[in-house]
């Protein structure tokens, strides 16, 4: 990250000297460089906590005391990154979006969106008056690195940043993606399933909803190869190799088709989700789910499309997508589920020629739906309830996926909850929408919930079960090692000892 930051400052300091460059092009490049400076600091901040801020290119001849500096307090880091994103947005004001040839490059919309994410993180329990973890977290000179005073105004700053980013995005044509393939759907649920699945794998680049994304196809190809369902037996490392799979917790998290948690929906609260449903040939947990579940998760006796065909998954032991009853074989589902969210029907492997046809698409760093959910979270935390604007944003996300409006769903359960229960619901709303996009781990940490969530032993179906009765027994997932999450230690990574040995002003993170 620091190497990238240094390169950015070198470019900023020298771009105007390029022969023949126009001021507008120079400003565009500077805007992109400032965006990356902010982003690289943000990555460091979320992995290590307070960091050393680099405010410009350093002279190689500086005295030692100006090079080996201490970590800046967390709030100072946040202010610097936010101001740098704003500076980038100002320089990129003429580039709220990008033409096809420049997709992936920074925009003013991306800068404002990432600033909103930053301020939401800074307002959250991990970083806002966290006396439990960071009361003694100080530099060597005694400077506190984390404020010990909870500041509710941080939620207001996040709320305003979300609104600013949403307005800029919407004014420049961004909206939640709705698939042309969904227009002929018979029901809202069918339309929602198509909308949500197609959002991620149908457009070559989802310029409608994605505010910033990655287009490099290497990782995207790997995601398909190691996420797609096995299509041949006996076991082979040719073709799709089941390795990246939804977790059991992920499956349990999805709402019912009424848009409610299982235990709050009057239709399901008295139904055992883990009981076998003979009519559907699967458990109840898979029967009453919302459209995003069916768009994202492949499950035993559920529909699945890959290699140009649709078929029914068979995930019990000895079956096509099930355990091969040999734990030494790497490419098997460890939960009993198969990835669907990132798999397109035309993702294919030719067994005769041993050749791949990967679906090309972009992977989102941040999309409009996240801003809507961030706004609602910040609004609740600051005001204690949901405004009409928050309800509208929640409903936009829900309607796209074929769910009832937020208020209508909760009317079935006695009304919208309040207090801690509403906070829990908003966390679930966000987690479901962003599942399998690399967001939940960071959210669990900023909510200060990772200590509990990451310490639970993961669950799985009994993968060696050949019959429905044997397979559908909730078991502990088999892991190759022991996963531990220690609070406060594991919330942030350790500062490398090699760096501490070089810079005598660096202090280690708590717990190490």
């Amino acid at each position: 990250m620091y190497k990238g930051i240094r390169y950015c400052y070198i470019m900023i300091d020298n771009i105007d000297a390029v022969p023949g460059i126009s001021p507008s092009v120079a400003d565009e490049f500077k805007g992109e460089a400032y965006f990356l400076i902010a982003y690289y600091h943000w990555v460091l901040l979320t992995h290590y906590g307070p960091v050393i801020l680099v405010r410009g290119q350093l002279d190689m001849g500086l005295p030692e005391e100006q090079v080996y500096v201490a970590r800046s307090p967390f709030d100072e880091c946040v202010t610097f990154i936010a101001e740098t994103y704003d500076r980038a947005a100002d320089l990129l004001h003429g580039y709220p979006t990008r033409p096809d040839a420049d997709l992936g490059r920074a925009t003013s919309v991306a800068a404002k969106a990432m600033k909103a994410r930053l301020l939401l993180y800074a307002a959250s329990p991990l970083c806002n008056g966290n006396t439990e973890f960071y009361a003694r977290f100080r530099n060597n000179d005694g400077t506190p690195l984390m404020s010990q005073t909870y500041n509710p105004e941080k939620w207001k700053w996040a709320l305003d940043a979300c609104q600013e980013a949403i307005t800029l995005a919407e004014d420049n044509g961004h909206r939640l993606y709705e698939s042309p393939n969904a227009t002929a759907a018979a029901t809202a649920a069918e339309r929602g399933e198509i909308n949500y699945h197609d959002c991620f794998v149908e457009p070559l680049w989802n310029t409608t909803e994605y505010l910033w994304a990655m287009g490099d196809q290497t990782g995207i190809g790997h995601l398909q190869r190691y996420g797609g369902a096995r299509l041949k037996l006996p076991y082979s490392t040719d073709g799709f190799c089941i390795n990246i799979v939804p977790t059991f917790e992920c499956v349990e998290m999805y709402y019912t088709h009424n848009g409610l948690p299982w235990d709050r929906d009057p239709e399901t609260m008295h139904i055992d989700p883990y009981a076998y449903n003979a009519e559907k040939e699967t458990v109840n947990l898979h029967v009453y789910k919302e459209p995003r579940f069916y768009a994202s998760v492949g499950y035993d006796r559920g529909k699945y499309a890959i290699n140009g065909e649709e078929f029914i998954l068979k995930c019990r032991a000895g079956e096509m997508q099930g355990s091969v009853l040999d734990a030494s074989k790497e490419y098997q589902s460890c939960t009993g589920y198969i990835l669907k969210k990132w798999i397109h029907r035309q993702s294919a492997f030719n067994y005769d020629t041993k050749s791949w046809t990967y679906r090309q698409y972009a992977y989102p760093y941040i999309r409009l739906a996240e801003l809507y959910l961030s706004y609602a979270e910040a609004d609740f935390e600051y005001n204690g309830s949901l405004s009409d604007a928050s309800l509208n944003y929640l409903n936009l996300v829900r309607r796209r996926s074929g769910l009832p409006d937020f208020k209508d769903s909760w009317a079935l359960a006695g009304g919208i909850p309040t207090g801690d229960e509403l906070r829990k619901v908003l966390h679930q709303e966000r987690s479901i929408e962003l599942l399998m996009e690399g967001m939940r781990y960071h959210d669990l940490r900023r909510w200060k919930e990772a200590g509990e969530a990451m310490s639970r032993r993961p669950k799985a179906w009994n993968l060696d079960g050949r019959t429905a009765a044997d397979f559908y027994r909730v078991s502990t997932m088999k892991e190759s090692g022991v996963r531990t999450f220690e609070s406060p230690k594991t919330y942030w990574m350790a500062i490398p000892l090699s760096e501490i040995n070089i810079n005598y002003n660096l202090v280690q993170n708590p717990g190490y």
Side-chain angles (χ1 to χ4, degrees), residues 146-203:
M146 297 293 292
S147 172
Q148 296 301 286
T149 304
Y150 173 74
N151 184 358
E153 291 303 309
K154 290 182 178 180
W155 289 110
K156 180 64 164 61
W157 301 337
L159 182 67
D160 292 344
C162 288
Q163 186 60 74
E164 182 183 23
I166 289 169
T167 300
L168 185 62
E170 291 181 337
D171 286 350
N172 285 281
H174 286 289
R175 62 188 184 281
L176 297 186
Y177 180 83
E178 295 195 15
S179 174
N181 298 323
T183 55
T187 66
E190 291 174 0
R191 184 171 63 252
E193 180 181 347
I194 296 169
N195 276 338
Y196 188 78
H197 186 260
D198 283 6
C199 173
F200 303 101
V201 300
E202 195 60 41

Side-chain angles (χ1 to χ4, degrees), residues 257-391:
H257 59 84
N258 288 321
L260 291 167
W262 188 280
D263 60 354
R264 295 300 309 275
D265 189 334
E267 189 177 338
T268 58
M269 60 193 306
H270 300 299
I271 297 175
D272 181 357
Y274 310 107
Y276 185 66
N277 186 315
E279 180 185 355
K280 301 294 185 179
E281 297 187 87
T282 191
V283 286
N284 290 323
L285 184 64
H286 306 152
V287 175
Y288 299 90
K289 288 289 191 180
E290 58 154 297
R292 287 176 296 190
F293 168 74
Y294 298 110
S296 304
V297 178
Y299 61 92
D300 181 47
R301 270 52 183 181
K303 292 180 180 178
Y304 196 85
I306 200 170
N307 233 48
E309 61 177 325
E310 184 175 83
F311 55 92
I312 300 298
L313 289 171
K314 296 185 177 180
C315 300
R316 300 166 198 171
E319 295 184 331
M320 185 64 72
Q321 287 80 39
S323 167
V324 296
L325 299 168
D326 181 348
S328 69
K329 299 293 191 290
E330 179 180 2
Y331 298 114
Q332 306 180 69
S333 174
C334 56
T335 61
Y337 292 103
I338 310 294
L339 179 64
K340 191 174 182 180
K341 179 168 178 172
W342 299 104
I343 305 298
H344 191 275
R345 186 188 187 101
Q346 300 306 325
S347 300
F349 179 75
N350 187 310
Y351 285 90
D352 295 325
T353 62
K354 309 295 184 185
S355 59
W356 289 93
T357 302
Y358 293 123
R359 179 69 179 185
Q360 288 192 318
Y361 53 81
Y363 191 95
Y365 284 135
I366 189 165
R367 54 190 179 93
L368 184 58
E370 180 187 333
L371 289 182
Y372 289 157
L373 295 165
S374 296
Y375 182 98
E377 180 182 343
D379 182 22
F380 163 74
E381 294 292 352
Y382 186 67
N383 295 304
S385 60
L386 294 174
S387 64
D388 289 342
S390 289
L391 290 172

Side-chain angles (χ1 to χ4, degrees), residues 208-221:
T208 303
E209 182 165 348
Y210 290 3
L211 309 181
W212 191 39
M214 176 189 73
D216 179 76
Q217 293 300 305
T218 303
I220 291 166

